Coordinates of all heavy atoms in Angstrom, one line a residue:
M1 N 80.4 163.8 150.6 CA 80.8 162.5 150.0 C 81.9 163.0 148.9 O 81.7 163.9 148.2 CB 79.7 161.8 149.4 CG 79.9 160.4 149.2 SD 78.4 159.4 148.8 CE 77.5 160.3 147.6
D2 N 83.0 162.2 148.8 CA 83.9 162.7 147.8 C 84.4 161.5 147.1 O 85.3 160.8 147.4 CB 85.2 163.2 148.6 CG 86.2 163.9 147.7 OD1 85.7 164.4 146.6 OD2 87.3 164.0 148.1
F3 N 83.7 161.2 146.0 CA 84.0 160.1 145.1 C 85.1 160.5 144.2 O 85.2 161.6 143.7 CB 82.8 159.7 144.2 CG 81.7 158.9 145.0 CD1 80.4 159.2 144.8 CD2 82.0 157.8 145.8 CE1 79.3 158.4 145.4 CE2 81.1 157.1 146.4 CZ 79.8 157.4 146.3
P4 N 86.0 159.6 143.9 CA 87.0 159.9 142.8 C 86.4 160.2 141.4 O 85.2 159.7 141.2 CB 87.8 158.6 142.7 CG 87.7 157.9 144.1 CD 86.2 158.3 144.5
E5 N 87.0 160.8 140.6 CA 86.4 161.3 139.4 C 86.0 160.0 138.5 O 84.8 160.0 137.9 CB 87.4 162.0 138.5 CG 86.8 162.8 137.4 CD 85.8 163.9 137.7 OE1 85.9 164.4 138.8 OE2 85.0 164.2 136.9
I6 N 86.7 159.0 138.6 CA 86.4 157.8 137.7 C 85.1 157.2 138.2 O 84.3 156.7 137.4 CB 87.6 156.7 137.6 CG1 87.3 155.7 136.6 CG2 87.8 156.1 139.0 CD1 87.3 156.1 135.3
I7 N 84.9 157.1 139.6 CA 83.7 156.6 140.1 C 82.5 157.4 139.7 O 81.4 156.9 139.4 CB 83.8 156.4 141.7 CG1 85.0 155.6 142.0 CG2 82.5 155.9 142.2 CD1 84.9 154.1 141.6
R8 N 82.6 158.8 139.7 CA 81.5 159.6 139.3 C 81.2 159.3 137.8 O 80.0 159.3 137.4 CB 81.9 161.0 139.5 CG 82.0 161.3 141.0 CD 82.3 162.8 141.3 NE 81.3 163.6 140.8 CZ 81.3 165.0 140.7 NH1 82.4 165.5 140.9 NH2 80.3 165.7 140.4
W9 N 82.2 159.0 137.0 CA 81.9 158.7 135.6 C 81.1 157.4 135.4 O 80.2 157.2 134.6 CB 83.1 158.7 134.7 CG 83.5 160.2 134.3 CD1 84.5 160.9 134.8 CD2 82.9 160.9 133.3 NE1 84.5 162.1 134.2 CE2 83.5 162.1 133.3 CE3 81.8 160.7 132.4 CZ2 83.1 163.2 132.4 CZ3 81.3 161.8 131.6 CH2 82.1 163.0 131.6
I10 N 81.4 156.5 136.3 CA 80.9 155.2 136.3 C 79.4 155.3 136.7 O 78.5 154.8 136.1 CB 81.6 154.2 137.2 CG1 83.0 153.8 136.6 CG2 80.7 153.0 137.5 CD1 83.8 153.1 137.5
F11 N 79.1 156.2 137.7 CA 77.8 156.4 138.2 C 77.0 157.1 137.0 O 75.9 156.9 136.9 CB 77.8 157.3 139.4 CG 77.9 156.5 140.7 CD1 78.9 156.6 141.6 CD2 76.9 155.5 140.9 CE1 78.9 155.9 142.7 CE2 77.0 154.7 142.1 CZ 78.0 155.0 143.0
A12 N 77.6 158.0 136.2 CA 77.0 158.7 135.1 C 76.5 157.7 134.1 O 75.4 157.7 133.6 CB 77.9 159.7 134.5
G13 N 77.5 156.7 133.8 CA 77.0 155.6 132.9 C 75.9 154.8 133.4 O 75.0 154.4 132.7
L14 N 75.9 154.5 134.8 CA 74.8 153.8 135.4 C 73.5 154.6 135.4 O 72.5 154.0 135.3 CB 75.2 153.4 136.8 CG 76.3 152.3 137.1 CD1 76.6 152.2 138.5 CD2 75.9 151.0 136.4
T15 N 73.6 155.8 135.5 CA 72.4 156.6 135.3 C 71.8 156.6 133.9 O 70.5 156.3 133.8 CB 72.8 158.2 135.5 OG1 73.4 158.3 136.8 CG2 71.6 159.0 135.4
L16 N 72.5 156.4 132.9 CA 72.0 156.2 131.6 C 71.3 154.8 131.5 O 70.2 154.6 130.9 CB 73.0 156.4 130.5 CG 73.6 157.7 130.4 CD1 74.7 157.7 129.3 CD2 72.5 158.7 129.9
L17 N 71.9 153.8 132.1 CA 71.4 152.4 132.0 C 70.1 152.4 132.8 O 69.1 151.7 132.4 CB 72.4 151.5 132.6 CG 73.6 151.2 131.7 CD1 74.6 150.2 132.4 CD2 73.2 150.6 130.4
A18 N 70.1 153.0 134.0 CA 68.9 153.0 134.9 C 67.8 153.9 134.2 O 66.7 153.4 134.3 CB 69.2 153.7 136.2
A19 N 68.1 154.9 133.5 CA 67.0 155.6 132.7 C 66.4 154.7 131.6 O 65.2 154.6 131.4 CB 67.6 156.8 132.2
A20 N 67.3 154.0 130.9 CA 66.8 153.0 129.9 C 66.0 152.0 130.5 O 65.0 151.5 130.0 CB 68.0 152.4 129.1
G21 N 66.4 151.4 131.6 CA 65.7 150.4 132.4 C 64.3 150.9 132.7 O 63.3 150.2 132.8
L22 N 64.3 152.2 133.3 CA 63.0 152.8 133.7 C 62.0 152.9 132.6 O 60.8 152.5 132.6 CB 63.1 154.2 134.3 CG 62.0 154.8 134.9 CD1 61.3 154.0 135.9 CD2 62.3 156.2 135.3
V23 N 62.5 153.3 131.3 CA 61.7 153.4 130.1 C 61.1 152.0 129.8 O 59.9 151.8 129.4 CB 62.4 154.1 129.0 CG1 61.6 153.9 127.6 CG2 62.8 155.5 129.3
R24 N 61.9 151.0 129.8 CA 61.6 149.6 129.5 C 60.5 149.2 130.4 O 59.4 148.5 130.0 CB 62.7 148.7 129.5 CG 62.4 147.3 129.1 CD 63.6 146.4 129.4 NE 63.7 146.2 130.8 CZ 64.9 145.9 131.4 NH1 66.0 145.7 130.8 NH2 65.0 145.8 132.8
E25 N 60.7 149.4 131.7 CA 59.6 149.0 132.8 C 58.3 149.8 132.6 O 57.2 149.2 132.8 CB 60.2 149.1 134.2 CG 61.2 148.1 134.5 CD 60.8 146.7 134.5 OE1 59.6 146.5 134.8 OE2 61.6 145.8 134.2
L26 N 58.4 151.0 132.3 CA 57.2 151.8 132.0 C 56.4 151.2 130.8 O 55.1 151.1 130.9 CB 57.5 153.2 131.9 CG 57.8 154.0 133.1 CD1 58.4 155.4 132.8 CD2 56.7 154.0 134.0
R27 N 57.1 150.8 129.9 CA 56.5 150.2 128.6 C 55.8 148.9 129.0 O 54.7 148.6 128.5 CB 57.4 150.0 127.5 CG 57.8 151.3 126.8 CD 58.8 151.2 125.7 NE 59.1 152.4 125.1 CZ 60.1 152.6 124.3 NH1 60.9 151.6 124.0 NH2 60.3 153.8 123.8
R28 N 56.5 148.0 129.8 CA 56.0 146.8 130.2 C 54.7 147.1 131.1 O 53.8 146.3 131.0 CB 57.0 146.0 131.0 CG 58.0 145.4 130.2 CD 59.0 144.5 131.0 NE 59.9 144.0 130.3 CZ 61.0 143.3 130.8 NH1 61.2 143.2 132.1 NH2 62.0 142.8 130.0
L29 N 54.8 148.2 131.9 CA 53.6 148.4 132.8 C 52.4 148.7 131.9 O 51.4 148.3 132.3 CB 54.0 149.5 133.8 CG 52.9 150.0 134.7 CD1 52.5 148.8 135.7 CD2 53.3 151.3 135.4
R30 N 52.6 149.4 130.9 CA 51.5 149.8 130.1 C 50.7 148.6 129.3 O 49.6 148.5 129.1 CB 51.9 150.8 129.0 CG 52.2 152.2 129.6 CD 52.6 153.1 128.5 NE 51.6 153.3 127.5 CZ 51.7 153.8 126.3 NH1 52.9 154.3 126.0 NH2 50.8 153.8 125.5
R31 N 51.7 147.5 129.0 CA 51.1 146.4 128.3 C 50.6 145.3 129.1 O 49.9 144.4 128.8 CB 52.4 145.7 127.5 CG 52.7 146.6 126.3 CD 53.7 145.7 125.4 NE 54.7 145.2 126.2 CZ 56.0 145.4 126.0 NH1 56.3 146.2 125.0 NH2 56.9 144.8 126.8
T32 N 50.8 145.4 130.5 CA 50.5 144.4 131.4 C 49.0 144.3 131.7 O 48.3 145.5 131.8 CB 51.2 144.5 132.8 OG1 52.6 144.6 132.5 CG2 51.0 143.5 133.7
E33 N 48.4 143.2 131.9 CA 47.0 143.1 132.2 C 46.8 143.6 133.7 O 47.7 143.7 134.5 CB 46.5 141.6 132.1 CG 47.1 140.7 133.0 CD 48.5 140.1 132.6 OE1 48.8 140.4 131.5 OE2 49.0 139.4 133.3
P34 N 45.6 144.1 134.0 CA 45.4 144.7 135.3 C 45.7 143.9 136.5 O 46.2 144.5 137.5 CB 43.8 145.0 135.3 CG 43.5 145.1 133.9 CD 44.4 144.1 133.1
A35 N 45.6 142.7 136.5 CA 45.8 141.7 137.7 C 47.3 141.7 138.0 O 47.7 141.6 139.1 CB 45.4 140.3 137.4
A36 N 48.2 141.9 137.1 CA 49.7 141.9 137.3 C 50.2 143.3 137.4 O 51.5 143.4 137.6 CB 50.4 141.1 136.1
R37 N 49.6 144.3 137.3 CA 50.1 145.6 137.4 C 50.8 146.0 138.8 O 51.7 146.7 138.7 CB 49.1 146.6 137.1 CG 48.9 146.8 135.6 CD 48.1 148.1 135.1 NE 47.9 148.0 133.7 CZ 46.8 148.3 133.2 NH1 45.7 148.5 133.9 NH2 46.7 148.2 131.9
P38 N 50.2 145.5 139.9 CA 50.9 145.9 141.2 C 52.3 145.4 141.2 O 53.2 146.1 141.7 CB 50.0 145.2 142.2 CG 48.7 145.2 141.6 CD 48.8 144.9 140.2
A39 N 52.6 144.2 140.7 CA 53.9 143.6 140.7 C 54.8 144.5 139.8 O 56.0 144.8 140.1 CB 53.9 142.3 140.3
R40 N 54.2 145.0 138.7 CA 55.0 145.8 137.6 C 55.3 147.1 138.2 O 56.3 147.8 138.1 CB 54.3 145.8 136.4 CG 54.3 144.8 135.5 CD 55.5 144.6 135.0 NE 55.5 143.4 134.1 CZ 56.6 142.8 133.6 NH1 57.8 143.1 134.1 NH2 56.5 141.7 132.9
R41 N 54.3 147.6 139.1 CA 54.6 148.9 139.8 C 55.8 148.9 140.7 O 56.5 149.9 140.8 CB 53.3 149.3 140.5 CG 52.3 149.8 139.5 CD 51.0 150.4 140.3 NE 50.0 150.8 139.3 CZ 48.8 150.3 139.3 NH1 48.4 149.5 140.3 NH2 47.9 150.6 138.5
W42 N 55.9 147.8 141.4 CA 57.1 147.6 142.4 C 58.4 147.5 141.5 O 59.3 148.1 141.9 CB 57.0 146.4 143.2 CG 56.0 146.8 144.3 CD1 54.7 146.1 144.5 CD2 56.1 147.6 145.4 NE1 54.2 146.6 145.6 CE2 55.1 147.5 146.2 CE3 57.2 148.5 145.7 CZ2 54.9 148.3 147.4 CZ3 57.1 149.1 146.9 CH2 56.0 149.0 147.7
D43 N 58.3 147.0 140.3 CA 59.5 146.9 139.4 C 59.9 148.4 138.9 O 61.0 148.7 138.9 CB 59.2 146.0 138.1 CG 59.1 144.5 138.5 OD1 59.6 144.2 139.7 OD2 58.5 143.8 137.8
V44 N 58.9 149.1 138.6 CA 59.1 150.6 138.3 C 59.7 151.3 139.4 O 60.7 152.1 139.2 CB 57.8 151.1 137.8 CG1 57.9 152.8 137.5 CG2 57.4 150.6 136.4
A45 N 59.1 151.1 140.6 CA 59.7 151.7 141.9 C 61.2 151.3 142.0 O 62.0 152.2 142.4 CB 58.9 151.4 143.1
D46 N 61.5 150.1 141.8 CA 62.9 149.6 141.9 C 63.8 150.3 140.9 O 64.9 150.7 141.2 CB 62.8 148.1 141.7 CG 64.2 147.4 142.1 OD1 65.0 148.1 142.8 OD2 64.4 146.3 141.8
Q47 N 63.3 150.5 139.7 CA 64.1 151.2 138.7 C 64.3 152.7 139.0 O 65.4 153.2 138.9 CB 63.5 151.1 137.3 CG 63.7 149.7 136.6 CD 65.1 149.4 136.3 OE1 65.8 150.3 135.9 NE2 65.4 148.2 136.4
C48 N 63.3 153.3 139.6 CA 63.3 154.6 140.0 C 64.4 154.8 141.2 O 65.2 155.8 141.3 CB 61.9 155.2 140.5 SG 60.9 155.4 139.2
A49 N 64.4 153.8 142.1 CA 65.4 153.9 143.3 C 66.7 153.7 142.7 O 67.7 154.5 143.2 CB 65.1 152.8 144.3
G50 N 67.0 152.9 141.7 CA 68.3 152.7 141.2 C 68.7 154.0 140.4 O 69.8 154.5 140.5
L51 N 67.8 154.7 139.8 CA 68.1 156.0 139.1 C 68.4 157.0 140.0 O 69.4 157.7 139.9 CB 66.9 156.3 138.2 CG 67.0 157.6 137.4 CD1 68.1 157.4 136.3 CD2 65.7 158.0 136.7
V52 N 67.7 157.1 141.1 CA 68.0 158.1 142.2 C 69.4 157.8 142.7 O 70.2 158.8 142.8 CB 67.0 158.2 143.2 CG1 67.4 159.0 144.4 CG2 65.6 158.7 142.7
T53 N 69.7 156.6 143.0 CA 71.0 156.3 143.6 C 72.1 156.6 142.6 O 73.1 157.2 143.0 CB 71.1 154.8 143.9 OG1 70.0 154.5 144.9 CG2 72.4 154.4 144.6
A54 N 72.0 156.3 141.3 CA 73.0 156.5 140.4 C 73.2 158.0 140.1 O 74.3 158.5 139.9 CB 72.7 156.0 139.0
V55 N 72.1 158.8 140.1 CA 72.3 160.2 140.0 C 72.9 160.9 141.2 O 73.8 161.7 141.0 CB 70.8 160.9 139.8 CG1 70.9 162.4 139.9 CG2 70.2 160.5 138.4
G56 N 72.6 160.4 142.3 CA 73.3 160.8 143.5 C 74.8 160.6 143.5 O 75.6 161.5 143.9
G57 N 75.1 159.4 143.0 CA 76.6 159.1 142.9 C 77.2 159.9 141.8 O 78.3 160.4 141.9
A58 N 76.6 160.2 140.7 CA 77.1 161.1 139.6 C 77.3 162.4 140.0 O 78.3 163.2 139.5 CB 76.3 160.9 138.3
L59 N 76.3 162.9 140.8 CA 76.5 164.3 141.1 C 77.2 164.6 142.4 O 77.3 165.7 142.9 CB 75.0 164.9 141.2 CG 74.2 165.0 140.0 CD1 72.8 165.5 140.3 CD2 74.9 165.8 138.9
D60 N 77.6 163.5 143.0 CA 78.3 163.5 144.3 C 77.5 164.1 145.4 O 77.9 165.0 146.2 CB 79.7 164.3 144.1 CG 80.8 164.0 145.1 OD1 80.6 162.8 145.7 OD2 81.6 164.8 145.5
S61 N 76.3 163.8 145.5 CA 75.3 164.2 146.4 C 74.9 163.2 147.4 O 74.4 162.1 147.1 CB 74.0 164.7 145.7 OG 73.0 165.0 146.8
I62 N 75.4 163.4 148.7 CA 75.1 162.4 149.7 C 73.7 162.2 149.9 O 73.2 161.0 150.3 CB 75.9 162.6 151.0 CG1 75.8 161.5 152.0 CG2 75.4 163.9 151.6 CD1 76.6 160.3 151.7
Y63 N 72.9 163.3 149.8 CA 71.4 163.2 150.1 C 70.7 162.3 149.1 O 69.9 161.5 149.4 CB 70.9 164.6 150.2 CG 71.6 165.5 151.3 CD1 72.3 166.5 150.9 CD2 71.3 165.0 152.6 CE1 72.9 167.2 151.9 CE2 71.9 165.8 153.5 CZ 72.8 166.8 153.3 OH 73.3 167.6 154.2
L64 N 71.0 162.6 147.8 CA 70.4 161.7 146.7 C 70.9 160.4 146.9 O 70.0 159.5 146.7 CB 70.7 162.3 145.3 CG 69.8 163.5 144.9 CD1 70.3 163.9 143.4 CD2 68.4 163.2 144.7
F65 N 72.1 160.1 147.0 CA 72.7 158.8 147.1 C 71.9 158.0 148.3 O 71.5 156.9 148.1 CB 74.1 158.8 147.3 CG 74.8 157.6 147.2 CD1 75.0 156.9 145.9 CD2 75.3 156.8 148.2 CE1 75.6 155.7 145.7 CE2 76.0 155.6 148.1 CZ 76.1 155.1 146.8
G66 N 71.9 158.7 149.4 CA 71.3 158.0 150.6 C 69.8 157.8 150.4 O 69.3 156.8 150.8
A67 N 69.1 158.8 149.8 CA 67.7 158.5 149.5 C 67.4 157.5 148.5 O 66.5 156.7 148.7 CB 67.1 159.9 149.0
G68 N 68.3 157.3 147.6 CA 68.1 156.2 146.6 C 68.4 154.8 147.2 O 67.7 153.9 147.1
L69 N 69.4 154.8 148.1 CA 69.6 153.5 148.9 C 68.5 153.2 149.8 O 68.0 152.0 150.0 CB 70.9 153.6 149.7 CG 72.2 153.6 148.9 CD1 73.4 153.7 149.7 CD2 72.3 152.3 148.0
A70 N 67.9 154.3 150.5 CA 66.8 154.0 151.5 C 65.6 153.5 150.7 O 64.9 152.6 151.1 CB 66.5 155.3 152.2
L71 N 65.3 154.1 149.5 CA 64.2 153.8 148.7 C 64.3 152.3 148.1 O 63.4 151.6 148.1 CB 63.9 154.7 147.5 CG 62.8 154.6 146.6 CD1 61.6 154.7 147.4 CD2 62.8 155.6 145.6
S72 N 65.6 152.0 147.8 CA 65.9 150.6 147.3 C 65.6 149.6 148.4 O 65.0 148.6 148.2 CB 67.3 150.5 146.9 OG 67.6 151.3 145.7
G73 N 65.9 150.0 149.7 CA 65.7 149.1 150.8 C 64.2 148.8 151.0 O 63.8 147.7 151.2
V74 N 63.4 149.9 151.0 CA 62.0 149.8 151.1 C 61.4 149.0 149.9 O 60.5 148.1 150.3 CB 61.3 151.2 151.1 CG1 59.9 151.2 151.1 CG2 61.8 152.0 152.4
V75 N 61.7 149.3 148.8 CA 61.2 148.5 147.6 C 61.6 147.0 147.7 O 60.7 146.2 147.4 CB 61.6 149.2 146.3 CG1 61.3 148.3 145.1 CG2 61.0 150.5 146.2
L76 N 62.8 146.7 148.0 CA 63.2 145.4 148.0 C 62.6 144.6 149.2 O 62.1 143.5 149.0 CB 64.8 145.2 148.1 CG 65.4 145.7 146.9 CD1 66.9 145.6 147.2 CD2 65.0 144.8 145.7
G77 N 62.4 145.3 150.3 CA 61.7 144.7 151.4 C 60.2 144.5 151.1 O 59.7 143.4 151.4
A78 N 59.5 145.4 150.4 CA 58.1 145.1 149.9 C 58.0 144.0 148.9 O 57.1 143.1 149.0 CB 57.6 146.5 149.4
K79 N 58.9 143.9 148.0 CA 59.0 142.9 147.1 C 59.2 141.5 147.7 O 58.6 140.5 147.4 CB 59.9 143.1 146.0 CG 59.7 144.2 145.0 CD 60.7 144.5 144.0 CE 60.6 143.7 142.8 NZ 61.6 144.2 141.8
A80 N 60.1 141.5 148.8 CA 60.3 140.2 149.5 C 59.0 139.8 150.3 O 58.7 138.6 150.4 CB 61.6 140.4 150.5
C81 N 58.3 140.8 150.9 CA 57.1 140.4 151.6 C 56.1 139.9 150.6 O 55.3 138.9 150.9 CB 56.6 141.7 152.3 SG 57.6 142.0 153.7
R82 N 55.9 140.5 149.4 CA 55.0 140.0 148.5 C 55.4 138.5 148.0 O 54.4 137.7 147.9 CB 55.1 140.9 147.2 CG 54.3 142.2 147.4 CD 54.4 143.0 146.1 NE 53.8 142.4 144.9 CZ 52.6 142.2 144.5 NH1 51.7 142.9 145.3 NH2 52.2 141.6 143.5
A83 N 56.7 138.3 147.9 CA 57.1 136.9 147.5 C 56.8 136.0 148.6 O 56.4 134.8 148.3 CB 58.5 136.9 147.1
A84 N 57.0 136.3 149.9 CA 56.8 135.5 150.9 C 55.3 135.2 151.1 O 54.9 133.9 151.4 CB 57.3 136.0 152.3
L85 N 54.5 136.2 151.0 CA 53.1 136.0 151.0 C 52.5 135.1 149.9 O 51.7 134.2 150.1 CB 52.3 137.3 151.1 CG 52.4 138.1 152.3 CD1 51.8 139.5 152.2 CD2 51.8 137.3 153.5
A86 N 53.0 135.3 148.7 CA 52.7 134.4 147.5 C 53.0 133.0 147.8 O 52.4 132.0 147.5 CB 53.3 134.9 146.3
H87 N 54.2 132.8 148.3 CA 54.7 131.5 148.7 C 53.8 130.8 149.7 O 53.5 129.5 149.6 CB 56.2 131.5 149.2 CG 56.7 130.1 149.6 ND1 57.0 129.2 148.5 CD2 57.0 129.6 150.7 CE1 57.4 128.1 149.3 NE2 57.5 128.3 150.6
R88 N 53.5 131.6 150.7 CA 52.6 131.0 151.7 C 51.2 130.7 151.2 O 50.6 129.6 151.6 CB 52.5 132.1 152.8 CG 51.7 131.7 154.0 CD 51.7 132.7 155.0 NE 51.0 132.3 156.3 CZ 50.6 133.0 157.2 NH1 51.0 134.3 157.3 NH2 49.9 132.6 158.2
R89 N 50.6 131.5 150.4 CA 49.4 131.2 149.7 C 49.5 130.0 148.9 O 48.6 129.1 148.9 CB 48.9 132.4 148.7 CG 48.2 133.5 149.6 CD 47.6 134.4 148.6 NE 48.6 135.1 147.7 CZ 49.1 136.3 148.0 NH1 48.6 136.9 149.1 NH2 49.9 136.8 147.2
R90 N 50.5 129.7 148.2 CA 50.7 128.5 147.4 C 50.8 127.3 148.2 O 50.3 126.2 147.9 CB 51.9 128.6 146.4 CG 51.7 129.4 145.2 CD 52.9 129.2 144.2 NE 54.2 129.6 144.8 CZ 54.8 130.6 144.8 NH1 54.2 131.7 144.1 NH2 56.0 130.8 145.4
R91 N 51.5 127.4 149.3 CA 51.7 126.3 150.2 C 50.4 125.9 150.8 O 50.1 124.7 150.9 CB 52.8 126.7 151.2 CG 53.6 125.5 151.7 CD 54.7 125.8 152.5 NE 54.2 126.5 153.8 CZ 54.8 127.2 154.6 NH1 56.1 127.5 154.4 NH2 54.3 127.8 155.7
T92 N 49.7 126.8 151.2 CA 48.3 126.4 151.9 C 47.3 125.9 150.9 O 46.6 125.1 151.1 CB 47.7 127.8 152.6 OG1 47.6 128.8 151.7 CG2 48.6 128.1 153.8
A93 N 47.5 126.4 149.6 CA 46.6 126.0 148.6 C 47.0 124.5 148.1 O 46.1 123.6 148.0 CB 46.6 126.8 147.4
D94 N 48.3 124.2 148.3 CA 48.7 122.9 148.1 C 48.3 121.8 149.1 O 48.0 120.7 148.8 CB 50.2 122.7 147.9 CG 50.8 123.4 146.6 OD1 49.9 123.6 145.7 OD2 52.0 123.7 146.5
R95 N 48.3 122.2 150.3 CA 47.9 121.5 151.5 C 46.4 121.3 151.4 O 45.8 120.2 151.7 CB 48.2 122.1 152.8 CG 49.7 122.1 153.2 CD 49.9 122.7 154.4 NE 51.4 122.7 154.7 CZ 52.0 123.4 155.7 NH1 51.2 124.0 156.5 NH2 53.3 123.3 155.8
A96 N 45.6 122.2 151.0 CA 44.2 122.1 150.9 C 43.8 121.1 149.8 O 42.7 120.4 150.0 CB 43.5 123.4 150.7
G97 N 44.5 121.2 148.7 CA 44.2 120.3 147.6 C 44.7 118.9 147.7 O 44.2 118.0 147.0
A98 N 45.7 118.7 148.6 CA 46.2 117.4 148.8 C 45.3 116.4 149.7 O 44.4 116.6 150.3 CB 47.6 117.4 149.4

């Protein structure tokens, strides 16, 4: 992969932002009550995937960049499934209560 130099600097800046976001999510995970921790863990995994993608772009590594994109796809798919299941549970609970 051959990114232009300016794009690599942009990815380096995104790496710093992703690292700061990961620290923020880890702090939120520590403060969260046990019932909400699985959702926060997916948020941490999302930040990790973004960090791997940004590092891959900054280092011009196709393997890290591709791994980060693949990890992002898996995490976003899992979060979408969780949201769909939660929506389905709410809908069935509303029907049972009505």
